[in-house]
Amino acid sequence: MEFAFPWPTSQGEWLAWSSAVVTLALGLLFFLAPGLAFRILRLQVRPERAAAIAEGRGRMSGFYLGVSLCCILLAQPWLYMALGFSWLFTAFGRLLSIMSDGANTPFNWASIVVQLVLAALPLAFVFGFLP
């Protein structure tokens, strides 16, 4: 059995692949430098609660790395759909927090825009909106 790296072949697939690469970069940031990632997200880890770092390295980086690597290495539409819907629900959760938790800040609105773009790229490819 021969393994070949599935390089993107169309503009839509390149955009979906780009979303996976950004997700991979975020996953690597959480995996290798969770303290820096938390500072970028404006989260603070208390010294007596160092287990929060494990959440960044484990739960947060795990999903980012797993889904993005599967998209990059296998290039299957269902995987790109999973990536797109994951980002879409991330944006929806942030919007709920803005409406329910009083988290109406410019940072959260900018994050929603980024998350919606990261969701739209793979979903537009999967649903045929991009060639």
Side-chain angles (χ1 to χ4, degrees):
M1 181 174 170
E2 186 178 323
F3 180 77
F5 182 73
W7 203 247
T9 57
S10 68
Q11 179 184 4
E13 192 173 4
W14 272 107
L15 292 173
W17 185 84
S18 299
S19 177
V21 169
V22 170
T23 305
L24 176 67
L26 291 171
L28 286 172
L29 180 65
F30 273 108
F31 189 73
L32 300 173
L36 174 62
F38 284 147
R39 280 193 300 278
I40 291 170
L41 293 176
R42 299 177 181 188
L43 300 173
Q44 185 177 6
V45 178
R46 295 182 187 170
E48 67 272 9
R49 301 281 176 134
I53 295 291
E55 289 298 312
R57 280 207 168 108
R59 185 179 311 195
M60 296 170 90
S61 75
F63 279 107
Y64 285 176
L65 291 174
V67 173
S68 65
L69 281 173
C70 284
C71 287
I72 292 168
L73 295 176
L74 301 173
Q76 297 295 311
W78 288 104
L79 294 171
Y80 283 124
M81 187 182 298
L83 177 66
F85 278 114
S86 295
W87 279 116
L88 191 63
F89 279 107
T90 301
F92 182 66
R94 191 173 295 270
L95 182 63
L96 280 177
S97 183
I98 287 172
M99 295 184 328
S100 303
D101 305 328
N104 189 7
T105 65
F107 176 80
N108 279 333
W109 284 107
S111 295
I112 284 178
V113 169
V114 170
Q115 291 161 353
L116 287 175
V117 168
L118 290 172
L121 295 176
L123 291 176
F125 168 66
V126 168
F127 291 119
F129 294 113
L130 295 173

